[in-house]
Amino acid sequence: MDAHDVKSLLVDHERYWEYLRTDMERYKSLYESNFWDDRQDDPTAILIQTQDCYAYVESYLAGLYAKNPAIVLKEGLRGLGSPDKAAAVVNEFLARSRQQIEEASRMALIYPNAFFKIIPVGGEDVYDMLLPVAIPPWEVIIDRDASRHDRQRYIGHVYYCPLHMAKERFGNKKYNPISRERYFKYDNGRLPEEEEKMRDTQFDKYIKVVEMYDLVNDRLQFWTPNWADGKKFLSDDPVPFRDYSNRPVVPIIPFFFSSMPDQPMIGYSAVKRIYDQCYEKNVVRSFQAGAVRKASRQYLVRKGILD
């Protein structure tokens, strides 16, 4: 895979999620109880919204994670290592990662799917060597034609890297830093990008990075459009993560609760199933609230007139 291929995949990925942006904003607003924020044309209107979506998602998660996620290990065929020690280490890591696992699951219910990434950061403590992070689906480039996750030809993670971290990791190159662009244009009725563009500090300078795992050619490539006009890779090395058969492993784990039968790598939002019902209930409740207040009028008449 060359730089042109990565750029083409990024363009296709962004076009795909730009098409879905309106739907993602509607699902997010419904879950966050901001259903009427972009529909409030009349400031005097009485608008009611139920919490059915929030209850639907959170009750699902409460049943799913009633206990900490854990594994059970038994001795392997070769009889190497200690299953008890390995299970203890893994279960402690899963317990510490519970919040991020739940966040990935929550996003996988609200949006079509989500991802869970394990980032090596180093450290003396074994539990500090890996950083678990929940990732929304619009940040991960996937092979949508694959029949299964482990049959993908490529997987990429798109993110904004702070300029100072980019210089530390990839060298002090002549970058063209940019402002971070948010996927959701509106956040609780405001424009976060407009507020951020007014700032001009060292903490507001980023480069857009694509961390691409080419599983056909066994390459881990870092690419950015903010250096060398996107014609070169920041780095290009073999995939450092391997399994027991020395095959490349991608530290990005998909979370799917539902997917399309004909395209398993395309998820289906659980919130989408109940959106129309919640929409109708909010409209009806708002109409009822307004009607009740209009019907409850008081009249002043002379005493004895209505007796």
Side-chain angles (χ1 to χ4, degrees):
M1 186 178 298
D2 57 24
H4 176 74
D5 294 333
V6 176
K7 182 178 180 179
S8 298
L9 291 173
L10 175 63
V11 170
D12 177 72
H13 168 79
E14 291 180 336
R15 186 184 298 115
Y16 176 83
W17 285 103
E18 180 64 30
Y19 176 77
L20 296 176
R21 187 196 303 272
T22 301
D23 289 341
M24 300 302 105
E25 289 177 340
R26 289 192 300 165
Y27 304 154
K28 180 176 183 287
S29 297
L30 185 63
Y31 172 79
E32 295 179 348
S33 302
N34 296 322
F35 178 80
W36 292 109
D37 281 2
D38 58 344
R39 299 180 176 89
Q40 194 168 357
D41 299 328
D42 183 3
T44 64
I46 301 171
L47 303 176
I48 306 298
Q49 53 184 322
T50 65
Q51 303 302 315
D52 292 354
C53 177
Y54 180 84
Y56 175 75
V57 172
E58 295 304 317
S59 61
Y60 197 112
L61 290 176
L64 189 62
Y65 297 108
K67 298 180 180 179
N68 285 334
I71 65 168
V72 176
L73 288 179
K74 296 182 179 180
E75 187 173 354
L77 295 175
R78 293 180 293 179
L80 301 177
S82 171
D84 294 336
K85 291 181 180 179
V89 172
V90 173
N91 289 335
E92 178 64 20
F93 174 79
L94 291 175
R96 296 187 180 202
S97 307
R98 173 170 177 161
Q99 181 178 358
Q100 291 298 318
I101 295 174
E102 287 188 11
E103 291 297 341
S105 302
R106 186 173 286 107
M107 285 192 290
L109 289 169
I110 300 173
Y111 310 121
N113 62 290
F115 294 88
F116 184 79
K117 184 178 182 181
I118 301 177
I119 305 174
V121 293
E124 297 181 359
D125 190 334
V126 64
Y127 298 114
D128 294 334
M129 293 181 179
L130 300 174
L131 177 66
V133 179
I135 305 176
W138 49 84
E139 290 187 3
V140 179
I141 300 174
I142 61 173
D143 182 4
R144 291 192 291 270
D145 295 329
S147 59
R148 295 181 355 184
H149 171 69
D150 57 355
R151 291 294 182 265
Q152 293 186 94
R153 295 164 294 177
Y154 55 84
I155 305 174
H157 182 199
V158 185
Y159 55 90
Y160 287 87
C161 179
L163 183 60
H164 69 92
M165 293 182 61
K167 291 181 178 179
E168 292 176 0
R169 184 167 187 177
F170 305 113
N172 191 13
K173 298 177 171 58
K174 295 184 64 175
Y175 300 107
N176 298 315
I178 58 175
S179 300
R180 180 171 182 173
E181 182 179 353
R182 306 285 180 177
Y183 180 68
F184 293 113
K185 301 302 181 183
Y186 290 88
D187 190 3
N188 294 328
R190 65 183 180 90
L191 283 169
E193 286 188 4
E194 296 300 324
E195 297 181 6
E196 292 176 359
K197 287 180 180 178
M198 296 175 62
R199 301 194 307 246
D200 186 18
T201 69
Q202 60 176 327
F203 304 107
D204 300 303
K205 297 179 179 180
Y206 297 85
I207 65 169
K208 192 173 188 176
V209 175
V210 177
E211 180 181 329
M212 181 62 69
Y213 292 83
D214 180 357
L215 301 177
V216 174
N217 301 302
D218 190 10
R219 307 300 296 178
L220 171 56
Q221 300 161 323
F222 289 86
W223 176 86
T224 178
N226 308 122
W227 174 70
D229 295 329
K231 297 179 180 179
K232 298 180 180 179
F233 287 116
L234 293 169
S235 66
D236 185 357
D237 303 290
V239 178
F241 313 108
R242 323 297 294 188
D243 65 5
Y244 62 91
S245 298
N246 199 35
R247 293 176 297 185
V249 174
V250 180
I252 300 176
I253 306 162
F255 273 58
F256 286 89
F257 286 98
S258 299
S259 61
M260 298 299 179
D262 56 332
Q263 287 184 293
M265 292 308 300
I266 297 181
Y268 189 90
S269 168
V271 171
K272 182 178 181 179
R273 292 194 182 96
I274 65 170
Y275 184 85
D276 290 344
Q277 182 180 359
C278 293
Y279 182 98
E280 188 67 18
K281 182 178 285 190
N282 289 343
V283 172
V284 171
R285 292 287 179 86
S286 299
F287 178 81
Q288 290 175 336
V292 167
R293 284 158 179 79
K294 289 180 180 178
S296 60
R297 297 177 179 176
Q298 295 181 350
Y299 296 89
L300 295 175
V301 297
R302 190 181 297 277
K303 184 177 180 180
I305 293 296
L306 300 178
D307 294 342

